[in-house]
Every structure is written in structure tokens, then in C-alpha cells.
Amino acid sequence: MLCHNGLLGQTTSQTGVETAGVKHSMNPFDELSVEESVRIREKNKAPGGVEDICVISAGPAKAVDILRTAMAMGADRAIHVETADGDEGALEPLTVAKMLRAVVDKEKSNLVILGKQSIDDDAAQTGQMLAGLLGWPQATQASRVEFSGDSVEVTKEVDGGVETVRAKLPMVITTDLRLNEPRYASLPNIMKAKKKPLVKMSLSDLGVTNERKLKIIKVTEPPARQGGGKVEDVDGMISKLKELGAL
């Protein structure tokens, strides 16, 4: 998925975020996914090794820059599913999941790693929907991924500590922030990435239509925070807390 860096204001129609003039960058959760894929290959974690790392992004022409960055990090090739710019080309999580399923079927992949959520809509649905469409096991919000024989153990942080699940390939994993520290895409690797294969497709090539099932009613900025207050002593603090209903 393609996301945006910087501060985004709402559009004048209040139906989305304003992206005009904003630099596109890789979703940080997806950046973790690329890094983890490369580490699995470098450290020979997967039984039989990693044959190929293919990255995919659906978005306007600018998405190519993101894919080149992913290849500079170590991916072997890329697929760009080109969509229109702006609201017209925006994809809902289910559409993205259907698109990824089509690519997985075409590529005969057995492991899909993707960010737990995008940072524009924060939907956190695509990975789960993809696993459901494929009929594969899923492990979400991974903070650690380890291979044990023909199984994959994935640990995630929960309220009471950590939770570890185990499943066999094929499977879908979504990544969380403490999984790894993504590497910097160096200039030499960026130059090499320009020679790596990048295939352009459309949703129709994959048999998918951008069918809208959700309607955005309104997008607004959060209300401005009110300033804090000072109290002279403990008694004043207790009185203030009682006034606010906290005691």
C-alpha cells in the first residue's frame, strides 16, 4: 500500500485527506515487512531458503518510487498495479485483499508478509481478509518471526505480555513496529534497483474491480487540545480532580 509522509489536512469536501504536493513514502509497517523478508533470506531462516522476494504496490505512477526503494532494500522484483491518483483510485481493504490474492495465485507464493495497517485509513483489515480469501492461517501484529522445521512461530505483544502462535506454510503474516529496524536504502543499491524487473498491471488484468462498499461520511482534524492548569498544593489538586469527576 502507498501512504504519505507529513501532515495531511482534510479536503474541502471533507471526504478524504489532502495529498496534493505531499511526498509519497513507504508505509512504515510495510517497510518492516520488506526488511523481515530480506532478513529471512539473509539468515537462512526458512527451510529450503527463499527463492524470490516480490513486492507489490497499488497506486498512481508515484508508487514506482516506493517499489524501487523496496528493491534497493533487497527485494528481487516488483509489481505495480496502477490506479488513478486521488480519491478516484483509492482502494478499500477488501479490494486490496482480492488484488493480492490474485497475485499470490499467479505467483504461486507460499508466504505473504505485509504491514498490519496503512497509516492513512488505519483500517488494519487487509491481511486478515487476504488470509480468509486464500484459506490460509494468519498471524497478525508480529513482533518476532521464527522458523521451526516446517512451522513458523510468530510472537505478538498483547495487553498481558506476549502471545506466540504456530502455523505451517502457506500463511499470511502482518508486521508490527518492534519486529525489526529497517535498513537504509543506500545510493549504490538504489542504482542497482533501477535494473531490477518491475511489471505494470491494472486491476482488470487481475480480474478485480474497484467496487466501493464503504462510504466516507466525513473526515475532520481532531479538536485542538486545551491547555493544562496549575494548582498551588495537594489540596488544590484533589479539589480539581473532584471537580473534573476523576475522584
Side-chain angles (χ1 to χ4, degrees), residues 15-97:
T15 58
V17 293
E18 181 58 66
T19 61
V22 177
K23 181 182 178 181
H24 288 224
S25 64
M26 193 185 305
N27 178 355
F29 294 107
D30 288 332
E31 195 173 19
L32 295 164
S33 301
V34 175
E35 176 65 27
E36 191 65 18
S37 301
V38 175
R39 289 190 186 194
I40 289 171
R41 175 166 60 188
E42 289 177 342
K43 297 180 180 180
N44 295 316
K45 289 185 175 183
V50 176
E51 181 180 341
D52 180 62
I53 299 174
C54 178
V55 290
I56 177 170
S57 179
K62 292 180 180 179
V64 170
D65 296 336
I66 310 306
L67 291 169
R68 292 294 182 194
T69 299
M71 288 189 285
M73 291 173 65
D76 300 304
R77 56 194 178 90
I79 296 174
H80 176 206
V81 180
E82 193 161 9
T83 63
D85 207 348
D87 290 345
E88 182 184 349
L91 304 181
E92 294 179 2
L94 182 57
T95 303
V96 178

Side-chain angles (χ1 to χ4, degrees), residues 121-195:
D121 62 17
D122 283 329
Q125 296 176 344
T126 303
Q128 293 89 325
M129 288 178 169
L130 174 61
L133 292 171
L134 290 169
W136 288 6
Q138 60 177 296
T140 59
Q141 298 169 252
S143 60
R144 184 177 66 86
V145 176
E146 294 293 339
F147 287 79
S148 177
D150 61 349
S151 298
V152 185
E153 290 187 356
V154 178
T155 299
K156 71 174 180 179
E157 297 177 358
V158 295
D159 289 342
V162 296
E163 175 185 276
T164 300
V165 298
R166 181 186 297 116
K168 292 186 178 180
L169 297 175
M171 70 181 297
V172 174
I173 298 174
T174 70
T175 59
D176 208 348
L177 289 177
R178 275 177 274 278
L179 177 60
N180 58 50
E181 184 69 32
R183 70 194 63 197
Y184 175 73
S186 65
L187 182 58
N189 286 336
I190 291 173
M191 300 304 293
K192 291 177 183 177
K194 292 181 179 180
K195 298 181 180 180

Side-chain angles (χ1 to χ4, degrees), residues 98 105-106 150 197:
K98 289 179 177 179
D105 289 341
K106 182 177 183 295
D150 61 349

